[in-house]
Amino acid sequence: MTTITFRMEGDRIVGFDSQGHSGYAEAGEDIVCAAITSAIRLVEATINDVLGLAASVKVKESEALISLRLPGGLAPTAESTCQALLTGLMVYFAQLHDEYPEHIEVLEED
């Protein structure tokens, strides 16, 4: 199972950790894993490459871990955009959980 934990500071999403393999299918054929990975890559590319922000991204393939943390002190427009992106990601993963409850879990932690 893949567990995605959104890291919160009050109502602000400061980042997330995605850990584990979904186990839906064999590597290379796992549609749940592909959906998770592509969504994470889209959000990371939008934050870092399109918006030009410096979100910290860590990948530990040996632990099947991807984490992202927003930088502090963002301008109001950048903060609003990042919150919209991360909230959309959370909603998307919650919808995936509804479809594949044995393969993805979505949590929030302060």
Side-chain angles (χ1 to χ4, degrees):
M1 175 179 286
T2 300
T3 301
I4 301 161
T5 306
F6 285 86
R7 304 297 176 182
M8 309 295 294
E9 287 180 357
D11 291 337
R12 181 177 186 251
I13 303 171
V14 296
F16 61 85
D17 300 315
S18 174
Q19 186 163 18
H21 295 287
S22 75
Y24 181 80
E26 294 296 319
E29 297 180 16
D30 191 324
I31 61 171
V32 176
C33 182
I36 293 167
T37 302
S38 66
I40 288 172
R41 287 182 175 178
L42 175 63
V43 168
E44 185 275 326
T46 302
I47 291 171
N48 283 335
D49 300 329
V50 175
L51 297 175
L53 305 175
S56 169
V57 177
K58 294 181 183 174
V59 177
K60 293 183 181 179
E61 290 186 29
S62 63
E63 298 175 29
L65 173 69
I66 301 172
S67 66
L68 180 140
R69 296 293 183 278
L70 291 178
L74 294 174
T77 300
E79 178 68 27
S80 177
T81 301
C82 287
Q83 290 306 304
L85 285 166
L86 292 172
T87 300
L89 186 65
M90 186 185 297
V91 169
Y92 174 69
F93 287 151
Q95 291 171 344
L96 276 179
H97 168 77
D98 290 345
E99 290 183 55
Y100 304 97
E102 302 296 318
H103 304 283
I104 179 173
E105 180 176 33
V106 182
L107 306 171
E108 291 181 36
E109 286 187 9
D110 287 325

